[in-house]
Amino acid sequence: MNFRHSMTWLHTWSGLLLGWLLYLMFVTGTTGYFDVEITRWMQPEIPVQSEQFDTNTLIPKAEQRLREVAPKAEEYFIELPQGRYPYFMIWWHNPDTIDEAGWHSEILDPNTGVPITARETAGGEFLYRLHYVLHYIPKALAYWLTSLAAMFMLVALVTGVVIHRRIFKDFFTFRRTKKQTSWLDMHNLFGVLPIPFYLMITYSGLILLMFSTMLPIPASTFGLNPEKFKQMYNTVFTEAAHRDAAGIAADSIPLLDFYQRTQTENKDAVIVHIAVENPGDKHALVEIGIQPKTGLDNADTTRYQATNGEAYPAASHYSDGSAPMAFYETMEKLHEGLFAGPLLRWLYFLSGLMGAAMVATGTIFWAVKRRYAHDKAGIESRGLRLVEGLNVGIVVGLPIAIAAYFFANRLLPAALESRAEWEAHSLFLVWFIALIHPFVRRANASLSSVWTEQLSVAALIYALIPLLNMMTSDYHLIKALRHGDWVLAGFDLFMLLAAFCFACAVYRVNKNNKIDETAATVNPTNEVRV
Amino acid sequence: MRRSPDSIASRTAAAIVGGYIVANTVAFAVAAAMPMSEADAVLVAMQASYLFYAFAVLWAFAAKTARRAWTGLSGTALVTLLIWAGLRLG
Amino acid sequence: MTALACLLSLLGCMALSLSKKRHRKEALPRYKNLSDSKVRCLLLSGFICQLVFAAILIESKGVALGLVYGFGWFSIAAFSQALLLSFRPRWTPPALVALVIVAPLLLPAS
């Protein structure tokens, strides 16, 4: 068996075996690029935000509220709903010595600064975390499984490039009309163009979990002593150097002053957060975070002494002096895309969806080709029926389940115990139904009908989401559009777009069906050349 | 495309298990050999290990026979382990 | 300047695709047989367009971000070119002309 044949075989099977897990990872990971925006939609108690955020009144209000709720905090944040983050929120961290230790947060009304109680929700973060933590299994196991899937993906990528002999000739080719070849063409189109993205996302994904999957390596240098490993870990993942509290109370300059000062010094800066370390102490530090225009960082930060406003040097990181760590952090930032502005984030999102489409077209192509060969030879295969059924249940079933998750967010009572868990359960319950549906229906219906049925359900359920929003919230699409709240409006509009895409798919499946039926009657021995 | 390699089970084991072992042993040697601080060397080795893994997997299936796949992988593992041991003890 | 760069990338994708006989047959049937040197010309100009596009992006956004935007836009440009050739190949010549006309309008006003 020559090299090309073995690589072809390897590409097929490394893609197929964990293809469905990869599809889940691509779909949920991709939604993660808008996780905060999704969470915002899932908390409809938050009012629409007007175009202008009144910093002069609202920042002092936030500071005042923090003094009320966090008198003993050692660190607090004010997140401003400018730039990427669509919330006006305060966060505070209480030291481990007092009762309410750890991080707490409160959402404030972006128009009045008054605290809002929003429903507990699993949010967009749950969908994002699904892509590497999975669900219902221990975290460590999930890390191993998703890393394994990523490894299979890496192999599929490399072998895919190796075997695609006509990669340049076929670069712009998409043969729409021939059934088998058009699935392969689609797989190639989705697979080839975003290769740089796929390589980056797969490799960075592997690296991000390397401290779970490649532990023998540090052990080979540091020995099996967990203390030494912890030391290494803490060295490379430095926290920004904290300045110790003096233990002496002191007044600080109002935060609004720091905000306005930054605004004057830096005319077109978008200020996204204000942080305070050791508030109320003589050694308190104020940090202003600005949305950076270039580079991969989340925010460009400057620190000042809280008592007198003098500049304070920036924190240093281990990666400043270490190229390997700098590489790690670059990979991390590229993977997470937190630095990305709106346009680039949509690009990330689109690329992620193309990844999902690449996997889906791959498994579908395999099934179509096998089905054609089996039909011709007159054999029936349980394995093939399983794959065909799972293809529908996963490729369409997962999106249906996600839409159901959004429905659960609105329909489950706001005061329900462990609400967030039940939202998650709803996703898997509906998915389970979608997975069984093809097998139940195959007895009486053709594969195309099964596809059509699920695609139609998907189109319907997504189209209903803006309606659901209107019926379960004061702040719906029309209001959002009128106020220019594009985060809120964008979600509903995207749901409509998704519904439209599913509807188009229904149309295409039906049209292809009619072509097949006519072809079968006209020429029963139609050959399809691969 | 019906052609499949011989000894699929053996090659798959070589790829997944043998590949993981080789990825690690090569990384051990790299971490020991890199002329930088221990923490940095370990970081380089860990990040590069997945590349080694990918090559090992391709080798497991590209080798002419399953036996050759295993020999190649075990050989690499042994040599790199020796290099690692030598560098650590020396 | 970024917009001009993106347009350049689009033009480049058109040139690259038209260097293949298969696509020329559908988009510009009159030119389906082209001499080797002319084909090489198309290929070269296509590549040069992409390089200039990349250079402009790297210049304005730094290496890391520039490459990210670069690969991102290139994927979109290539994908849309593939769709154009698949659905409306005859629209390629007018699309080419339109892009060439719009190009100077996007030059930054100095």
Side-chain angles (χ1 to χ4, degrees):
Chain A
M1 180 171 229
N2 70 15
F3 183 65
R4 164 154 265 111
H5 293 152
S6 55
M7 293 299 106
T8 306
W9 184 94
L10 188 57
H11 177 84
T12 309
W13 288 101
S14 69
L16 270 181
L17 277 176
L18 290 180
W20 291 310
L21 176 56
L22 282 168
Y23 181 76
L24 167 72
M25 288 162 70
F26 267 113
V27 172
T28 50
T30 304
T31 63
Y33 287 123
F34 287 106
D35 59 351
V36 208
E37 287 82 357
I38 294 176
T39 309
R40 186 257 174 277
W41 186 91
M42 293 176 83
Q43 292 178 305
E45 293 82 3
I46 302 175
V48 287
Q49 198 186 305
S50 335
E51 291 265 9
Q52 284 297 81
F53 179 71
D54 181 10
T55 46
N56 291 337
T57 5
L58 293 173
I59 292 182
K61 277 216 169 122
E63 190 177 3
Q64 175 60 20
R65 181 72 187 156
L66 274 166
R67 273 197 248 265
E68 281 169 35
V69 297
K72 297 209 187 66
E74 48 189 11
E75 196 174 353
Y76 44 64
F77 275 87
I78 304 175
E79 299 268 17
L80 302 170
Q82 314 180 128
R84 192 218 146 137
Y85 202 65
Y87 286 99
F88 183 32
M89 254 177 116
I90 51 176
W91 298 80
W92 64 97
H93 185 265
N94 286 335
D96 297 326
T97 47
I98 73 172
D99 270 338
E100 295 169 347
W103 282 102
H104 304 271
S105 63
E106 210 171 55
I107 305 179
L108 303 178
D109 186 323
N111 305 305
T112 60
V114 170
I116 305 174
T117 0
R119 66 188 60 190
E120 180 208 346
T121 177
E125 276 96 10
F126 166 72
L127 289 177
Y128 150 70
R129 284 174 63 80
L130 259 184
H131 94 283
Y132 68 107
V133 173
L134 305 180
H135 205 58
Y136 301 126
I137 59 176
K139 227 198 258 190
L141 180 59
Y143 287 172
W144 280 97
L145 276 174
T146 50
S147 289
L148 191 66
M151 205 53 225
F152 273 53
M153 167 84 187
L154 186 62
V155 170
L157 268 176
V158 175
T159 51
V161 173
V162 164
I163 65 179
H164 194 161
R165 180 183 359 200
R166 299 193 314 231
I167 195 168
F168 290 116
K169 246 204 206 148
D170 283 359
F171 202 73
F172 297 100
T173 305
F174 173 42
R175 287 165 290 202
R176 270 182 302 134
T177 44
K178 307 200 178 85
K179 186 165 177 186
Q180 262 189 64
T181 42
S182 77
W183 279 114
L184 180 59
D185 281 344
M186 274 208 275
H187 181 70
N188 290 342
L189 264 175
F190 287 128
V192 168
L193 295 171
I195 282 183
F197 173 77
Y198 297 150
L199 276 173
M200 180 278 290
I201 211 84
T202 311
Y203 210 84
S204 56
L206 283 167
I207 289 182
L208 281 172
L209 289 178
M210 71 186 193
F211 282 100
S212 297
T213 54
M214 290 293 181
L215 284 175
I217 301 174
S220 75
T221 302
F222 296 112
L224 292 169
N225 182 352
E227 275 310 311
K228 285 201 104 186
F229 173 70
K230 226 194 205 172
Q231 217 176 39
M232 178 226 162
Y233 193 86
N234 288 334
T235 319
V236 297
F237 287 109
T238 34
E239 281 256 321
H242 288 295
R243 185 193 195 187
D244 287 327
I248 309 167
D251 278 329
S252 80
I253 301 177
L255 295 178
L256 184 59
D257 281 11
F258 286 104
Y259 181 89
Q260 287 170 333
R261 167 179 166 182
T262 313
Q263 245 186 341
T264 8
E265 283 172 10
N266 199 337
K267 282 277 149 40
D268 47 346
V270 177
I271 302 170
V272 293
H273 76 247
I274 306 173
V276 185
E277 257 177 58
N278 302 316
D281 185 277
K282 188 157 161 236
H283 279 175
L285 290 175
V286 171
E287 176 186 277
I288 305 278
I290 304 177
Q291 201 171 47
K293 292 235 177 49
T294 58
L296 297 179
D297 282 318
N298 245 8
D300 287 336
T301 55
T302 355
R303 303 202 292 182
Y304 308 92
Q305 298 203 77
T307 45
N308 57 20
E310 270 173 29
Y312 193 77
S316 66
H317 299 269
Y318 180 77
S319 49
D320 292 336
S322 155
M325 196 56 199
F327 182 76
Y328 179 90
E329 286 183 4
T330 304
M331 287 273 104
E332 179 180 26
K333 289 173 189 170
L334 282 176
H335 188 100
E336 296 179 345
L338 291 172
F339 67 94
L343 182 62
L344 197 51
R345 214 129 50 85
W346 277 107
L347 213 57
Y348 260 103
F349 186 76
L350 199 67
S351 306
L353 285 184
M354 285 176 90
M358 166 188 65
V359 175
T361 49
T363 54
I364 293 172
F365 168 64
W366 187 89
V368 165
K369 197 152 164 255
R370 268 289 165 80
R371 174 55 70 188
Y372 178 74
H374 280 199
D375 280 353
K376 217 165 140 206
I379 51 180
E380 189 48 66
S381 155
R382 302 258 293 279
L384 182 55
R385 286 197 91 133
L386 181 66
V387 170
E388 287 174 332
L390 284 178
N391 271 345
V392 190
I394 293 181
V395 171
V396 191
L398 177 60
I400 293 179
I402 293 178
Y405 173 71
F406 297 140
F407 267 81
N409 163 258
R410 291 308 174 86
L411 299 178
L412 290 173
L416 181 67
E417 273 275 331
S418 359
R419 224 181 152 272
E421 278 178 44
W422 277 104
E423 286 176 346
H425 292 322
S426 317
L427 189 152
F428 287 101
L429 242 118
V430 172
W431 198 5
F432 184 67
I433 299 172
L435 279 169
I436 300 202
H437 161 260
F439 301 101
V440 167
R441 286 288 288 151
R442 267 321 264 293
N444 303 324
S446 70
L447 183 59
S448 295
S449 319
V450 172
W451 274 100
T452 312
E453 283 167 22
Q454 284 217 13
L455 285 168
S456 310
V457 168
L460 187 64
I461 200 175
Y462 274 95
L464 285 176
I465 288 183
L467 194 63
L468 171 76
N469 192 12
M470 212 169 276
M471 295 192 330
T472 54
S473 159
D474 290 329
Y475 311 107
H476 47 68
L477 182 57
I478 315 291
K479 236 193 198 165
L481 285 171
R482 240 190 291 149
H483 276 82
D485 187 339
W486 284 103
V487 173
L488 195 56
F491 185 95
D492 278 352
L493 289 173
F494 187 78
M495 297 295 113
L496 290 174
L497 180 63
F500 177 69
C501 292
F502 284 116
C504 286
V506 174
Y507 173 71
R508 285 305 304 248
V509 172
N510 279 331
K511 201 163 101 157
N512 279 344
N513 239 9
K514 297 214 172 58
I515 293 177
D516 283 346
E517 282 164 12
T518 355
T521 45
V522 163
N523 187 354
T525 55
N526 223 358
E527 295 273 353
V528 177
R529 265 168 262 116
V530 178
Chain B
M1 299 281 191
R2 276 310 169 67
R3 294 169 271 226
S4 29
D6 57 293
S7 339
I8 291 182
S10 173
R11 288 179 189 263
T12 308
I16 298 186
V17 177
Y20 184 73
I21 295 176
V22 165
N24 274 283
T25 57
V26 176
F28 291 177
V30 167
M34 287 255 113
M36 38 178 80
S37 77
E38 285 191 327
D40 278 354
V42 164
L43 283 173
V44 171
M46 287 176 91
Q47 291 179 96
S49 65
Y50 299 101
L51 263 173
F52 309 146
Y53 202 164
F55 278 124
V57 171
L58 256 63
W59 169 253
F61 285 93
K64 282 254 161 16
T65 64
R67 160 164 283 178
R68 270 182 132 203
W70 280 107
T71 330
L73 290 176
S74 343
T76 314
L78 218 63
V79 169
T80 44
L81 266 175
L82 286 171
I83 296 178
W84 167 69
L87 284 167
R88 293 299 298 177
L89 296 170
Chain C
M1 201 53 171
T2 314
L4 180 61
C6 293
L7 187 144
L8 218 64
S9 173
L10 270 170
L11 273 171
C13 282
M14 287 195 169
L16 287 170
S17 67
L18 289 174
S19 69
K20 310 276 179 280
K21 183 169 184 184
R22 157 195 299 170
H23 299 303
R24 271 202 313 276
K25 266 207 289 198
E26 303 165 324
L28 294 167
R30 236 197 306 159
Y31 294 97
K32 69 173 178 228
N33 290 314
L34 229 55
S35 67
D36 271 349
S37 59
K38 294 222 179 79
V39 167
R40 240 176 282 142
C41 223
L42 272 171
L43 260 177
L44 200 64
S45 39
F47 271 117
I48 292 183
C49 280
Q50 307 304 343
L51 284 174
V52 174
F53 156 72
I56 295 179
L57 282 184
I58 292 180
E59 169 70 48
S60 67
K61 296 188 194 295
V63 178
L65 220 52
L67 284 177
V68 171
Y69 275 106
F71 279 123
W73 175 257
F74 177 74
S75 308
I76 293 180
F79 194 72
S80 35
Q81 178 61 9
L83 290 180
L84 179 67
L85 285 169
S86 176
F87 285 92
R88 293 277 183 272
R90 295 302 181 83
W91 285 10
T92 313
L96 238 149
V97 171
L99 285 179
V100 173
I101 292 181
V102 172
L105 297 172
L106 292 174
L107 272 168
S110 25

